[in-house]
Amino acid sequence: MKKKLLLIIGLSLAVFFPAFAQNHTYTGTVTAKDDGLPVPGVSVKIKGTNTGVQTGDNGKYTISVPANGVLVFSYIGFTAQSITVGPNLVINVVLVPTSQQLGEVVVTTALGVKHSEKELGYSTAEITAKQVTATAATNVANGLTGKVAGLAVYELDNSVDPNIAIVLRGNRSLEGNNNALIVLDGVPMPGALLSSINPNDISDISILKGAGAAAIYGSEASNGVVAITTKRGSATNKPTITYENSVQAEKVAFYPKLQTSFGTYGGEGNYINGVTGFTEYVPYENQEYGPAYNGQPVQLGAPLDSANGTKDIVPYKAYPVSPIDAFFQTGITEQNDMSYSQGDAKNSIFVSAQNAYRTTVVPNDKNIRDAFSVRGHHTDGIFSVDYSVEYSKTTISTYIGNNNPLNTQYGISLPGSYVTTAGANDLYSSILQLPAFYNIKAFEDPNSDLGNASNYPDAYAINPYWIIDEARRDEQRDILLGQIKLAVDPTKWLNISYHVSDNFGIDQERYTKAEVDFTPYSISDPFGAGSNPAVFKSGKSPGAVYDVYQYGDGTNNNPGFARLQGDALVDLHPSLLKNFKTDLLLGNSIYQLYDKYQITGSSQLLVNDFYNINTIGGQPVAQEADYLVRNISFFGDLNINYKGFLNLEGTYRNEQDSRLSKAERSFNYPSAKISFVPTEIIPSLKNSDILTYAKFYGSLSQVGNINIGPYEINNLYGITNGFPYGSLGGLTAGTTNFSPTLKPEITTETEVGTELAFFKSRFDFNFSYYNSYDRNQTVPISTTIATGYSTSILNIGETQSQGYEFQVTGQIFTPATSKIGWTLGGNFSINNSKVISLLPGVSQLFLGGLDYAVVGQPFPLLKGTDFIRDPQGQVVVNSVGYPQTASALTTFGRTTPKYDLGVTSTWSYKFVTLSTVFEYRGGDVVYNSLGNSLAFTGSSYYSASNGRQRFIYPNSVIQTGPNTYVPNTGLSVQDGNYGFWQTSQFQATNSPWVTSGAFWKLRELNLTFNLDKFIKQTKYMKGLSVALTGRNLFIWTPKENTYTDPEFSDTLPTSGARGFSDINELPGTRVFGGSVKVTF
Amino acid sequence: MKKYISIVTVFLTIGMAGCKKDYLDQEVNPNYPSVTTPQYTLAGAEASSATILPLDYPEYGEWGGIWCFSGSYTPVSQFQEFAVSISVAPSPNDAWNDLYSNLTNYNNLQVSSESVPADANFEAIAMIMKAFDFEQLVDNYNNVPYTQAFQPSTILFPAYDTGQFIYNDLVKQLDAAIALISKSGASATNPGTSDIIYGGNMANWQIFANTLKLRLAIRQSNLSTNVAQADLASTASIGYIGVGTEADCQPGYTDALGKQNPFYAVYGFDQNGNPASGYETQRANIVASNLMKSLNDPRDSAYYQTVSGAINALQLGNPQNASNAISSPIGPGLIKSSSQPEPIFTSYESLFLQAEAAARGWIQGSAAAFYNAAITASFNAVNAQGSVTTYLAQSAVAYPTGGTLNQQVQAIITQKYISLNSLFNLEAYNEFRRTGFPVLPQNPASQDPAAVSQTLPTRIPYPLSELNTNTNNLNAQGTINIFTDKIFWAK
């Protein structure tokens, strides 16, 4: 699309010169090195003259050149090449793309309008299709990480349907959505739908970082924009077919360090040796505070089925394979892509189909996506039409986790376990707390003698294989993204267009959990342990089924909106004054968001393995809701350019939104931007070989942001728990106090920056500084229930988000000067967030979890309990040597990274290219509740670090009087085993489990072999390349973090809260594989 | 050419058609009502009240020698060790949240009914139940937000009032409610079936209010100035709760998920007949069990289920406690049926209050007669297997008529403690803190080697949510020491 657009511009401007008779006529084809496709519109000039032609649609050119003339081939985005003509009258040229040629890059801005980067008064970044798909990530977002300064992609978990959040320039909103707006071909779309898009359909992505870049998109864009442009047909007239296959494997890479020295004991009084006082092996425990492993045979659990049944005798020593290595499998992702494109100057069409099949490290989990798209363009005189339809069907099958959408989105509790009392174990937690002497594979069949629920030896945990076999969530998403744009260009100075888009999907989920029947022997609880089966006196745990049917964006987000939008745009660009280029855009945007869901289900199925709510005991669970949002806005954007070096832009927008009350509904916001390109005007710079390009820019912009859902202005009543009883109804006031006087949040951002290119763009440097203030934060603050409500939604306070972004690219070696090419890039951002004010007289707000907003501090701020310490900060132990929890809360640090560094590197040698992306994030802290859980069970390495012996709490002191402390040199903890790690206040205190959130990751590795030159003989094949790829191959974390990938968080992607990892997530993984790409 | 013009026209028409005047009016939530009726609010609030007493105070049961953590479960060690702080709060702290939520609904009902004379009965019940809830708050926390509560649009950080101030004001509120019923009760709308406690019997609500006043008065027996006691005479003619006028909540509990009697649902069995979590984790405590044993009290096997013919009770914090298989769970006198009514204010508690008031000379009547009637009512309530007459005839049980006031109070509170078992753990703990009775055969304090105190907590700390959301007003209450700070009426 880019090439073609420029071609049209180029043609209209091109000046053709007559050729001289004595010259020779040379012909040839210009192709691009990256995809091997012909490049239309390449300028072919004879050096030292103004004589030149352009390549046609098929990349071919014909030019008459005097003897020994030098031809210069140049095109935007490619390194110019000079070739001295010789006797061969055919000169084919392969152009090498420059990674980025500043000033000439065309950026897709608001509503799909393309601007030369020179004209922009704000910070943007461009990502090419190749960068996105370098390592064959199935989700577009994964292909963006580490590549742009200020852009943070959070991979929040590692499930078969992972949550991903894209945040630009850190958090602005205290509790609202901080995610960037995703725009597909000019139309906003739900961020969750990124996972439904075929990454291979993407032509390029523009990142518009700040509020200023997005003022024209409206309030949804206050956190920046990721604008995706999809592929259209090529203009070469020749049909092109591309086929690509990639296969990748995924393996567990990072999991907590576990102890392999001590077996089971959990505080049972009757398992204390009466003579020695030592604890003894407990055959049914899940806590591992027992005797050290000694290799002796022990009985695991109760005898099978009866008191005199078979006993499972195992050696009392760590099993050679850790339960994690044994349980998790190697996941496989295979993607097959096929695309077809064809076009000419007036018509183009692009058709693609993709099948992405993914299994993960969790056995039985699957994610299959089939995506089809058709996109085209047709021009007829002054009219043109551009359309695209994309349909995707995703089927997901996964185990029911504790954080399943039924629970997190709809508030219906359905744990993925049959246990109702002793706590419902999630999959990962039930594996992590397996004692090291268990051979987990012995329980692989949950219907076998050993693996069934009655015989499973651990009295307090359930067989993880039961979860993945018997508790399933099956989801089907049917998503349609359609749009059509009609444009009319009646005169040179006027375009009018109308753009309609409808993005919607249907999400169907079915949760099924199998009935479990217990043997009378297991219910009798032979050990008197209060075991899981003992709870089921009735003999069974009934099965469950829940069906969710949702019309919305096609995901299981509640609400996840379907979106119908119409944009009318009038673009006036008259030539009024000499040297001035003016462009006035006037527009109207109307959109409607709609979501409706229904849930029916029951946890009391009557018939074993028959999942239907027609056959249940008791009453079915039923829920429904629908949500509607409407928004109308009008906007104007005036752009004035003077002689190509000075650009002024002003925007103004009025927006009216149905989520706010009538009085507050309408709001306005402006922006002003300026850019100056000295290299275009200052004579000494104009043709400088050192400084090729320089731009300085600044902007001041404001944008409104609505951070409440629909209907969140009036107080509500809900059905009282238990009601109705017969015909008797009961209503209870909701616990949230809504306010009809809420106003939109207002973000005001100032931005300045520069873009510099040196040595013909061999070295590029970008810098930007931003400072934004967010007023009228719409925050659901926790209020004392004594006000009548536990939450009040208020406009309060102000936050500041300020930062620096650097982006550097250097071609250390270019293929033109050496055999080896090496391009090295770095991007670095520093973000400082600060709470400026909250409510009058209030210096701290509780945001939920362990997150707080504190005036003068970054946010969200992690605070929690610490030990009682002396004035020097040393831990004060009590009379039995244990640390004690202090009652005041301690500040641990911010939960979002302050620093984000990406390092990209591309080596090329002949037909081999090696590229890597490294990323560092740091300056934040994470609360690992995982650590706390593992100390409870005694399975963490940390809990065995003192050999379970008595020890003196490190660097502790003893209080001897008021304000007098002496170093603790002789008081050991009373019990270095169960007593310290589980029952003392150590485990329940937050501070031992807070670690740095820093990490280095090798995000991407790609080794590509471009085999084009080896297939030249074949008639039908135009290109062939083979690549080896890897993602998240290595992670390095500070020593203290032995728990999990600090990028993970148990929060939803729409929440700004981070820094809380828990035992309900899966271990971190690495992905590696290969791909083949063929062009016909 | 023409076709494009028509296409553009169609789209523009669609766009404009959408822009109707009320296009953006989407303020009404289609999913939940923003209005209610007095009937719905009353039924909902009363049903919520019935969940607080039986569910929110398990630790008072454990600390008070009534319940014990099962030997089969890892105890919540902090509660067993009395190592309770604001950040390790015991579950009675749920009461803070539950009571204020419940109060919000009664307050809304009171406010909305004030301006509608026909809703006077709803207003009166709301006032009475507010007093009932606020008394619980004071008994748990002493000073709490009262005058500044429930004003979310103007006061986000309500200041605390003293427990004494609140108690005194509750007396006024109860008098006002009694007067309101007398004045306009008959002419006003009767709550009827929406009143799931008294079925709209407003005379019974006056009796309930008057009995609550009596409880406020008795609770302040240690104080020299007792506003509640001074006011008793003004409404004495109304009388107090007795057999037949008990306040029992019965919305129509039935054996379905979420519709069971709340005590049964947590301490009995679920709708599938499987034991509920409370049944598994709470076992008989040796303190109350031995007290009953020493008095040959047949109620013990109603409160605690026998195992192999005997009650096997546990001792709080004892590391050697027996497992679930051989220890006694909560008994059949309390877990009768999933549709059993949930008592709010029982006749036996009222009769014990009257006995003490009579012993103190605050009301007319025979303390011994009230005492015997109370024990009889308690026997009947739990279907005790045994003769109440035989029981009362024992010298250790018989009312010490002619004894000192202290001896009489000791007898009353000892018997009251036995009768309040499990269902009213808060009230048992309150009376223990007020009078120091019963004198228990064992120290109920924890046997846990890590116990931080050998004495019982005298109060619980404020909840962590208050520290997070109402910091300054909480800090104004000073540092709470749970072993020395007392509720204002405590001994």
Side-chain angles (χ1 to χ4, degrees), chain A residues 383 528 535 538 717 722 724 733 784, chain B residues 1 31 33 105 259 274-275 323 466:
Chain A
F383 294 97
V535 170
S538 69
Y717 293 88
T784 168
Chain B
M1 175 95 176
N31 306 313
N105 287 283
K259 294 184 188 293
N274 290 322
S323 71
E466 262 316 270

Side-chain angles (χ1 to χ4, degrees), chain A residues 877-883 946 948-954 956 968 970-977 979-981 984 986:
Chain A
V877 296
N878 65 8
S879 60
V880 292
Y882 292 159
N946 62 318
R948 300 282 163 85
Q949 301 300 308
R950 295 181 64 183
F951 63 101
I952 296 171
Y953 192 82
S956 58
N968 175 15
L971 181 61
S972 300
V973 296
Q974 187 182 43
D975 173 11
N977 196 15
F980 174 81
W981 293 99
S984 83
F986 175 80

Side-chain angles (χ1 to χ4, degrees), chain A residues 443-592:
Chain A
F443 309 101
E444 191 163 5
D445 179 359
N447 297 314
S448 67
D449 270 356
L450 273 181
N452 73 50
S454 293
N455 287 343
Y456 190 65
D458 190 332
Y460 311 118
I462 76 167
N463 183 351
Y465 288 103
W466 187 91
I467 300 176
I468 61 165
D469 279 7
E470 308 289 357
R472 303 298 301 173
R473 174 165 78 84
D474 290 289
E475 183 177 5
Q476 179 180 323
R477 301 173 179 172
D478 290 277
I479 295 169
L480 194 74
L481 310 176
Q483 51 175 296
I484 183 163
K485 183 179 181 179
L486 304 167
V488 55
D489 299 71
T491 69
K492 270 190 176 172
W493 51 270
L494 176 68
N495 301 87
I496 301 170
S497 66
Y498 195 71
H499 198 162
V500 183
S501 64
D502 196 0
N503 297 341
F504 65 94
I506 291 165
D507 178 61
Q508 298 175 75
E509 286 184 276
R510 168 160 275 208
Y511 296 73
T512 54
K513 199 162 82 169
E515 175 178 321
V516 182
D517 297 295
F518 296 92
T519 61
Y521 176 66
S522 68
I523 295 167
S524 77
D525 195 6
F527 285 113
S531 64
N532 287 333
V535 170
F536 297 94
K537 295 277 188 306
S538 69
K540 74 170 186 179
S541 156
V545 66
Y546 287 86
D547 278 301
V548 182
Y549 185 88
Q550 177 165 226
Y551 172 88
D553 65 3
T555 68
N556 52 34
N557 291 338
N558 172 31
F561 290 113
R563 186 182 185 106
L564 176 64
Q565 176 156 350
D567 295 298
L569 204 59
V570 177
D571 187 355
L572 299 148
H573 37 90
S575 306
L576 298 173
L577 290 166
K578 203 185 164 192
N579 293 333
F580 282 92
K581 214 177 104 190
T582 51
D583 195 340
L584 175 66
L585 212 59
L586 296 171
N588 160 247
S589 225
I590 302 174
Y591 69 80
Q592 169 171 307

Side-chain angles (χ1 to χ4, degrees), chain A residues 282-305:
Chain A
V282 181
Y284 57 82
E285 251 302 332
N286 62 336
Q287 290 187 293
E288 295 149 51
Y289 286 103
Y293 290 127
N294 56 14
Q296 295 301 307
V298 291
Q299 177 187 330
L300 194 55
L304 306 186
D305 299 327

Side-chain angles (χ1 to χ4, degrees), chain A residues 864-869 875-876 883-890 985 988-991, chain B residues 85-88 464 467:
Chain A
T865 51
D866 189 15
F867 301 121
I868 296 174
R869 292 177 189 270
V875 172
V876 181
Q884 305 149 83
T885 311
S887 52
L889 300 181
T890 297
Q985 293 184 27
T989 305
N990 298 138
S991 57
Chain B
S85 66
I86 194 160
S87 52
V88 187
L464 184 59
L467 182 62

Side-chain angles (χ1 to χ4, degrees), chain A residues 632-651:
Chain A
I632 301 176
S633 51
F634 297 92
F635 56 89
D637 178 355
L638 178 64
N639 201 78
I640 299 172
N641 191 290
Y642 178 66
K643 282 190 170 175
F645 71 89
L646 187 66
N647 201 86
L648 292 169
E649 186 184 0
T651 67

Side-chain angles (χ1 to χ4, degrees), chain A residues 160-161 366-367 394-398 473-477:
Chain A
V160 72
D161 177 32
K366 240 182 258 180
N367 183 333
T394 307
T395 50
I396 296 167
S397 177
T398 180
R473 174 165 78 84
D474 290 289
E475 183 177 5
Q476 179 180 323
R477 301 173 179 172

